[in-house]
Amino acid sequence: MKVTPADIQQIGFRRAFRGYDRHEVDAFVSSLSETFEELMKENRDAKERIAALETALEDLKRKEELINQTLVSAERMVDEMKRQAQREAELRIREAEVAAETLTRKARDERHDIEQEVMTWRRRQIELVEQFRGFLRGIEKSLDLATESVHREEAVIGTPRGA
């Protein structure tokens, strides 16, 4: 059974010849009614505060869950970004290796072409030297023939006039 401050105020006691002092009982009942009213108000305020705190607690729990989900999501995103960066780095390394191989192969090919050209020019040089030697031998033979004919003439004519 619920008792309200008004119920306490309405309580009536029978009068007895040698009973309690009516003024004291009335004062006590009045004091008890006020105390009970204060306690009920405090209880109501406490219940309201508890309800507000429970609401705030639920709100904080939702926020905590949201923060945890956000944190997990951020961790996943960071992990994915790391994996993506790793894949991208590996791809760039492979591209660089392919480019380096291509440049190396091109440099080898150019070197080979230059070496072939140098060999061709050396052969051409040898050919020219041989042609020039042949030309010089031809001139030498011509000079030998010219001096031979002068020597033959001298032998036929005799000793040279100035001698």
Side-chain angles (χ1 to χ4, degrees), residues 47-106:
K47 285 180 180 179
E48 288 174 4
R49 283 191 66 217
I50 288 172
L53 289 172
E54 285 176 345
T55 301
L57 179 63
E58 287 302 315
D59 188 44
L60 288 174
K61 284 181 180 179
R62 282 191 302 274
K63 287 179 181 177
E64 179 184 25
E65 182 61 29
L66 181 62
I67 288 170
N68 285 337
Q69 289 172 356
T70 303
L71 181 60
V72 167
S73 176
E75 287 173 347
R76 285 183 188 144
M77 194 166 49
V78 165
D79 288 344
E80 181 58 30
M81 289 172 71
K82 284 179 183 178
R83 282 191 296 276
Q84 181 65 25
Q86 182 67 32
R87 285 191 298 264
E88 202 170 303
E90 289 170 358
L91 177 63
R92 289 194 178 169
I93 288 171
R94 281 193 297 266
E95 287 173 351
E97 287 172 345
V98 167
E101 181 62 33
T102 301
L103 286 173
T104 302
R105 186 175 50 251
K106 185 177 178 182

Side-chain angles (χ1 to χ4, degrees), residues 16-146:
F17 172 66
R18 291 203 169 207
Y20 294 105
D21 182 358
R22 183 172 182 228
H23 292 298
E24 283 182 22
V25 169
D26 286 345
F28 178 74
V29 166
S30 180
S31 172
L32 182 63
S33 173
E34 288 173 9
T35 303
F36 191 71
E37 188 173 346
E38 285 177 22
L39 288 175
M40 284 182 65
K41 184 178 184 294
E42 286 177 11
N43 189 21
R44 194 172 42 249
D45 290 347
K47 285 180 180 179
E48 288 174 4
R49 283 191 66 217
I50 288 172
L53 289 172
E54 285 176 345
T55 301
L57 179 63
E58 287 302 315
D59 188 44
L60 288 174
K61 284 181 180 179
R62 282 191 302 274
K63 287 179 181 177
E64 179 184 25
E65 182 61 29
L66 181 62
I67 288 170
N68 285 337
Q69 289 172 356
T70 303
L71 181 60
V72 167
S73 176
E75 287 173 347
R76 285 183 188 144
M77 194 166 49
V78 165
D79 288 344
E80 181 58 30
M81 289 172 71
K82 284 179 183 178
R83 282 191 296 276
Q84 181 65 25
Q86 182 67 32
R87 285 191 298 264
E88 202 170 303
E90 289 170 358
L91 177 63
R92 289 194 178 169
I93 288 171
R94 281 193 297 266
E95 287 173 351
E97 287 172 345
V98 167
E101 181 62 33
T102 301
L103 286 173
T104 302
R105 186 175 50 251
K106 185 177 178 182
R108 275 192 219 119
D109 291 346
E110 286 181 20
R111 178 180 172 196
H112 178 73
D113 292 347
I114 290 170
E115 287 174 347
Q116 291 300 316
E117 235 179 278
V118 166
M119 298 266 300
T120 301
W121 282 107
R122 284 186 179 159
R123 279 194 227 88
R124 181 70 181 137
Q125 179 186 15
I126 291 169
E127 287 174 9
L128 288 174
V129 167
E130 290 302 319
Q131 285 178 358
F132 190 64
R133 278 189 184 142
F135 175 72
L136 288 177
R137 284 188 193 122
I139 291 177
E140 186 179 22
K141 282 184 183 180
S142 295
L143 288 174
D144 284 345
L145 285 175

